[in-house]
């Protein structure tokens, strides 16, 4: 056995459980593992496996009625285990100071996968902004522009300062661009609103964007439909975020 490889996870499976599931465990151990029998006078068996194979053993234990075991998540072959020296292995287990898992319900929680956000909102909105820039020929790279992503609702906004109407000596903040997060079908909805003036106050442009490309520009007659899609996209993202937070909380509670 090549002990230079850092395996992770040790299961002390007690009798009679070890005898009941022995044949079921063999296909679950992978190519590199350690098995140390005779860990007690009752014939308990210690299995040390790669981290990626822990879950297979755990799943089998969860399915086994009245399973008796101890799981040591932080131990590995570099902890000093020797297949031929169960006494030394017992000493290693006895000196283990981290949490030991010995209940099926707790074992299952150990292998809850850390959830990932389904949308990389920063990347998506960066691509969306490029699409709007290409379509409108506006350049928002200058110091006069500020870009913000609200991570709660996924909306990306670009602001700039413009002269206050009727008073060129005063500046007011103007929202130049707003883009929703992707909706159910992966489409974001963008508004481009040029700085207000008497000649441009009705020049808002509305776009549907998917995969970083403008796939549709809405005319004035389609503004109601656009607003409905905007609202649906924001609700969809909020729903995804709420689900992610719930799953993340469950994951943290299981640690």
């Amino acid at each position: 056995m090549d002990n230079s490889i850092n395996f992770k996870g040790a299961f002390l499976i007690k009798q009679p459980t070890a005898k009941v599931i022995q044949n079921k465990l063999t296909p679950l151990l992978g190519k590199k593992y350690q098995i140390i029998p005779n860990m007690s006078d009752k014939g308990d068996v210690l299995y040390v496996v790669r981290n990626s194979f822990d879950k297979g053993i755990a799943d089998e234990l969860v399915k086994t009625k009245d399973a008796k075991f101890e799981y040591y998540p932080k131990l590995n072959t570099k902890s000093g285990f020797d297949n031929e020296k169960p006494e030394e292995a017992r000493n290693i287990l006895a000196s283990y100071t981290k949490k030991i898992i010995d209940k099926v319900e707790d074992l299952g929680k150990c292998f809850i996968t850390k959830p990932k956000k389904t949308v990389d909102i920063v990347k998506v909105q960066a691509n969306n902004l490029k699409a709007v820039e290409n379509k409108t020929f506006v350049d928002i790279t200058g110091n006069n522009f500020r870009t913000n992503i609200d991570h709660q609702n996924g909306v990306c906004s670009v602001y700039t300062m413009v002269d206050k109407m009727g008073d060129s000596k005063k500046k007011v903040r103007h929202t130049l661009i707003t883009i929703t997060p992707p909706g159910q079908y992966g489409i974001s909805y963008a508004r481009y609103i040029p700085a207000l003036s008497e000649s441009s106050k009705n020049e808002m442009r509305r776009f549907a964007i998917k995969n970083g490309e403008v796939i549709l520009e809405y005319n004035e007659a389609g503004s109601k439909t656009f607003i409905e899609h905007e609202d649906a996209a924001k609700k969809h993202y909020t729903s995804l975020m709420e689900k992610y937070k719930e799953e993340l909380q469950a994951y943290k509670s299981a640690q």
Side-chain angles (χ1 to χ4, degrees):
M1 186 64 60
D2 182 4
N3 287 338
S4 67
I5 298 175
N6 185 11
F7 304 162
K8 191 171 183 181
F11 290 85
L12 177 64
I13 303 180
K14 301 181 178 181
Q15 295 295 359
T17 304
K19 185 175 181 180
V20 170
I21 68 173
Q22 179 179 0
N23 292 335
K24 296 180 181 180
L25 292 184
T26 301
L28 305 175
L29 302 179
K31 295 181 180 180
K32 303 288 187 179
Y33 56 86
Q34 288 180 289
I35 299 177
I36 305 176
N38 303 316
M39 289 292 293
S40 72
D41 56 6
K42 295 181 180 179
D44 300 345
V45 181
L46 182 68
Y47 291 85
V48 186
V49 297
R50 283 187 178 183
N51 194 36
S52 58
F53 291 93
D54 282 2
K55 190 176 186 302
I57 297 176
D59 288 343
E60 196 58 48
L61 287 169
V62 168
K63 292 187 293 184
T64 302
K65 183 178 179 181
D66 300 324
K68 299 185 183 300
F69 64 91
E70 291 177 355
Y71 175 50
Y72 299 78
K74 301 298 182 181
L75 293 180
N76 54 63
T77 54
K78 290 189 176 181
S79 299
F81 292 113
D82 188 316
N83 292 9
E84 306 301 325
K85 298 179 180 180
E87 182 61 35
E88 290 185 7
R90 287 194 287 271
N91 291 336
I92 293 171
L93 298 187
S95 63
Y96 184 80
T97 59
K98 304 295 183 180
K99 184 178 180 180
I100 300 171
I101 309 298
D102 59 4
K103 293 182 174 59
V104 167
E105 54 270 26
D106 294 333
L107 184 63
K109 291 178 181 178
C110 289
F111 295 92
I112 296 176
T113 303
K114 185 176 182 179
K116 295 182 180 180
K117 291 182 180 179
T118 56
V119 178
D120 184 343
I121 194 63
V122 173
K123 181 178 180 179
V124 167
Q125 292 293 27
N127 290 334
N128 285 341
L129 278 175
K130 287 180 181 178
V132 173
E133 287 182 285
N134 291 338
K135 190 70 175 180
T136 62
F137 303 105
V138 65
D139 181 4
I140 61 171
T141 59
N143 293 331
N144 295 330
F145 300 94
R146 294 290 182 270
T147 300
N148 176 69
I149 296 176
D150 187 327
H151 289 266
Q152 296 300 311
N153 60 27
V155 174
C156 176
S157 303
V158 177
Y159 305 98
T160 188
M161 302 303 293
V162 298
D163 293 341
K164 183 177 180 181
M165 191 172 296
D167 188 349
S168 61
K169 295 182 180 181
K170 293 185 178 181
K171 297 288 186 179
V172 295
R173 191 173 78 166
H174 171 69
T175 303
L176 183 70
I177 299 170
T178 59
I179 312 174
T180 73
Q184 182 179 358
Y185 303 105
I187 301 173
S188 297
Y189 300 89
R191 294 174 181 240
Y192 167 63
I193 311 171
L196 294 175
S197 69
E198 289 301 321
S199 61
S200 63
K201 60 184 178 181
N202 294 320
E203 290 183 2
M204 179 193 298
R205 297 177 68 180
R206 307 169 182 86
F207 308 110
I209 306 172
K210 186 171 185 179
N211 298 328
E213 299 288 341
V214 173
I215 59 173
L216 176 67
E217 180 168 358
Y218 291 80
N219 57 25
E220 190 63 31
S223 60
K224 182 179 179 180
T225 299
F226 175 84
I227 292 171
E228 291 172 351
H229 289 168
E230 265 189 325
D231 185 56
K234 287 184 281 189
K235 287 181 178 178
H236 177 73
Y237 180 82
T238 299
S239 176
L240 290 179
M241 287 299 296
E242 289 176 351
K243 182 180 179 182
Y244 167 75
K245 289 176 181 178
E246 290 174 359
E247 292 176 347
L248 185 61
Q249 183 58 47
Y251 172 80
K252 289 181 177 179
S253 298
Q255 302 310 296

